[in-house]
Amino acid sequence: MDRLDNTVRPYAWGSTTAIPGLLGVEPSGEPQAEMWMGAHPGAPSRTERGTLVEVIDADPERELGPAAVAKFGPRLPFLLKILAAGAPLSLQVHPNLQQAKEGYEDEERRGIPIDAPFRNYKDANHKPELICALTEFDGLCGFRDPLQAAGLLDGLGVDSLKAYVDLLHAHPEEAALREVLTAILTADPEQMRHTVAEAAAACTRLGGTYTAYADIAHHYPGDPGVIAAMLLNHVRLQPGEALFLGAGIPHAYLTGLGVEIMANSDNVLRCGLTPKHVDVPELLRIVRFEAGDAGVLRPEASPDGEEVYETPIDEFRLSRYVLPDGGTAPDLTREAPQILLCTAGSVRAGDQQLTPGQSVFVPAAERVEVSGAGTIFRATVIV
């Protein structure tokens, strides 16, 4: 079992206080957006044996287990994070596995440098993800019913939005959503800046349901993503609730602290709320234009106290144990790799005492028992 020393990424949207508050350290004054736990080459966790990439590369079958290597290859299939949003993240979607492979191979054939700002596919993997709230957590997830979106836009009283309102009343639903998002993202930039400014002023004046969009516009003035965001479900998670983001689902995180797990990929197509590249044709190919509920997940409790966040993904499995004072979880030994993360209290995992924000990597088949008073998240794979 290896205690992990993890990198905190200072993205501009990060909270200046949430991760320091979890770790019990003084804030530096700089944004601290994500703490990465895993073997992603961009910021691998460090151990006494070297980086987690080096540890796994030295003996994949020992560290990951033969079944995981056979199913996913000689690498850790997931990346675990603590995410602290102090401002909205970019509005984005992720490709499915086939789309990622095709997109990556196409950009490789065309000789687009892997670090080019206009490159869409950094690897050939998909990037489904799950976010579980540690605090109240606001986000956008999936398309609203088009008529609800039309009502929200119409309520602003902005003349230049009326064309979008009319389109949202059209049928079928998928075509209506596609046409509106396309129109928003291809509108004349100067006209869109004026529209967003009017909409932002109306959101500020009206408050209530519109407050979240006024805040988004404050951070991204003139960005067409402000209008696109109103097409999506606004969700407020309570601690312990989660969202699963599958391929093609437009989403953005707005504020809050959470535990995030994802397949080990960097593939993102952006819709807005960003100064970065937006490839509209490729984005429209990837987005699933389906309206529906955001699908808030609550954990399924098992008799042994494990609370599992069920998803249709094999690359990761996230669960948690909430241990009462002196409580003990059952034997967590598993024929697959695990990362254990403490988020509250003080928990003993094997020979390691963990406090909030501390984590360990458990190789496949290594015996581990957990005890103490607190909350521990368990990240692993399904083999």
Side-chain angles (χ1 to χ4, degrees):
M1 183 184 304
D2 298 277
R3 183 180 285 270
L4 299 179
D5 178 15
N6 304 306
T7 297
V8 175
R9 309 305 294 261
Y11 305 137
W13 49 261
S15 167
T16 58
T17 58
I19 289 178
L22 180 72
L23 298 175
V25 299
E26 285 296 316
S28 67
E30 299 299 316
Q32 297 190 28
E34 296 180 347
M35 185 168 76
W36 288 21
M37 291 157 279
H40 192 287
S45 298
R46 298 169 294 279
T47 78
E48 290 185 352
R49 296 189 285 159
T51 70
L52 197 52
V53 170
E54 294 167 341
V55 168
I56 292 170
D57 284 350
D59 194 344
E61 290 215 350
R62 178 183 179 277
E63 302 298 333
L64 305 177
V69 172
K71 188 168 185 176
F72 304 111
R75 63 186 188 89
L76 190 67
F78 64 83
L79 176 63
L80 184 67
K81 300 179 180 180
I82 293 175
L83 182 146
L89 283 67
S90 62
L91 190 58
Q92 59 189 257
V93 297
H94 306 302
N96 63 31
L97 189 56
Q98 184 62 35
Q99 290 165 340
K101 288 178 178 177
E102 291 172 354
Y104 179 78
E105 290 169 0
D106 174 64
E107 291 186 327
E108 286 290 281
R109 279 195 304 270
R110 290 191 281 140
I112 300 176
I114 200 72
D115 58 353
F118 53 89
R119 177 146 182 165
N120 294 315
Y121 298 95
K122 305 298 177 68
D123 54 68
N125 200 18
H126 62 165
K127 193 188 176 189
E129 60 191 44
L130 176 78
I131 183 79
C132 177
L134 294 177
T135 65
E136 199 170 72
F137 193 98
D138 276 26
L140 304 172
C141 179
F143 286 107
R144 296 175 184 267
D145 178 278
L147 296 182
Q148 292 179 358
L152 192 68
L153 292 174
D154 198 34
L156 293 172
V158 175
D159 286 344
S160 51
L161 292 176
K162 292 190 182 303
Y164 304 145
V165 172
D166 291 341
L167 284 172
L168 287 166
H169 282 93
H171 294 285
E173 177 182 276
E174 178 181 340
L177 291 169
R178 179 182 292 274
E179 284 193 47
V180 172
L181 185 61
T182 302
I184 291 169
L185 297 180
T186 57
D188 176 78
E190 188 56 40
Q191 291 179 356
M192 178 54 70
R193 279 191 287 273
H194 181 71
T195 295
V196 172
E198 281 195 85
C203 287
T204 301
R205 184 180 69 254
L206 293 167
T209 303
Y210 293 99
T211 301
Y213 306 104
D215 185 62
I216 292 170
H218 169 75
H219 289 285
Y220 297 98
D223 193 302
V226 175
I227 307 302
M230 296 188 195
L231 304 178
L232 307 185
N233 296 299
H234 177 219
V235 183
R236 176 162 293 168
L237 300 177
Q238 297 304 311
E241 295 180 335
L243 288 174
F244 172 70
L245 293 314
I249 303 298
H251 62 278
Y253 302 143
L254 303 180
T255 59
L257 181 70
V259 173
E260 185 182 33
I261 190 167
M262 62 189 63
N264 207 348
S265 170
D266 271 339
N267 288 325
V268 175
L269 289 112
R270 295 175 178 85
C271 314
L273 310 183
T274 178
K276 295 181 180 179
H277 176 61
V278 177
D279 184 336
V280 175
E282 184 65 8
L283 170 73
L284 296 173
R285 189 177 77 86
I286 299 302
V287 172
R288 287 168 52 191
F289 290 95
E290 302 172 3
D293 185 82
V296 174
L297 288 177
R298 296 172 182 83
E300 298 288 335
S302 63
D304 66 2
E306 185 179 28
E307 299 178 344
V308 182
Y309 293 90
E310 297 286 356
T311 73
I313 298 301
D314 288 350
E315 283 94 335
F316 61 74
R317 176 184 184 274
L318 186 69
S319 62
R320 69 174 185 174
Y321 288 89
V322 181
L323 303 175
D325 191 13
T328 302
D331 182 1
L332 302 188
T333 308
R334 189 174 176 88
E335 297 296 322
Q338 303 181 73
I339 291 178
L340 304 178
L341 164 67
C342 178
T343 59
S346 180
V347 177
R348 190 166 189 83
D351 62 355
Q352 301 284 341
Q353 193 71 36
L354 304 179
T355 56
Q358 295 181 336
S359 56
V360 292
F361 173 74
V362 184
E366 182 167 316
R367 183 173 176 80
V368 57
E369 293 182 347
V370 176
S371 61
T375 300
I376 193 160
F377 280 82
R378 180 191 202 191
T380 185
V381 300
I382 297 175
V383 295

